Amino acid sequence: MDARDPELGRELDATLRARTDLGPEYESALVDSFLEKVEQRLDGTLDRHVRRHLAEQRVAGARGPARPSGASFGERFGFATVSLVLAVPLSAIGVSNAGTEGLVVAWLGIIGVNAVHTARTWPWARAKRGGESDWRD
């Protein structure tokens, strides 16, 4: 249903003309009649949307999970590239501020972030989280 539905516009015009012809004593009956037509139209639209959404869910369920079990190559490659690019300035900052210990701490942080990113694709880690979310599209 469009906000500017021509059929509902005609119904409203007809209701307003009937109000001027019949007078104020029939106003509440005319308004109730018009609101009933609007409610029927909304119910029909809502039913169509719900049916479409349920059909899409059934089709998605029949196709299996929407995402592959592991991260895609592009995601892994992108994350590795960003990690290496950020490793250079982090290493320089660590060495300039704390020497070798700073370098070790910077690289332990980089390795830790990459380990967490990799661990989220492990099957046992997904099982602990309760699987993939049903809210993703």
Side-chain angles (χ1 to χ4, degrees):
M1 183 174 81
D2 189 10
R4 298 174 189 223
D5 189 355
E7 187 176 330
L8 278 179
R10 287 191 295 272
E11 290 288 337
L12 180 60
D13 288 339
T15 301
L16 291 174
R17 274 182 289 174
R19 180 186 173 267
T20 57
D21 293 343
L22 296 175
E25 57 271 359
Y26 290 101
E27 183 173 337
S28 65
L30 291 170
V31 169
D32 289 341
S33 172
F34 178 73
L35 289 178
E36 188 174 311
K37 291 174 185 175
V38 170
E39 184 179 358
Q40 289 172 355
R41 180 61 70 88
L42 286 174
D43 286 343
T45 302
L46 181 61
D47 286 343
R48 280 194 309 276
H49 284 289
V50 168
R51 276 188 261 125
R52 183 182 309 132
H53 183 70
L54 289 174
E56 288 172 356
Q57 282 183 336
R58 278 190 227 116
V59 168
R63 289 182 181 162
R67 302 185 82 195
S69 60
S72 69
F73 173 76
E75 182 181 349
R76 290 189 318 258
F77 182 75
F79 196 81
T81 302
V82 169
S83 293
L84 289 175
V85 166
L86 291 178
V88 173
L90 288 175
S91 298
I93 292 169
V95 168
S96 68
N97 288 328
T100 306
E101 294 85 14
L103 180 66
V104 170
V105 169
W107 274 97
L108 286 175
I110 293 166
I111 292 168
V113 168
N114 281 284
V116 169
H117 178 71
T118 301
R120 71 183 185 94
T121 61
W122 291 341
W124 58 267
R126 258 194 325 274
K128 282 185 179 178
R129 289 193 311 257
E132 294 294 324
S133 172
D134 291 339
W135 291 98
R136 278 193 196 143
D137 285 318

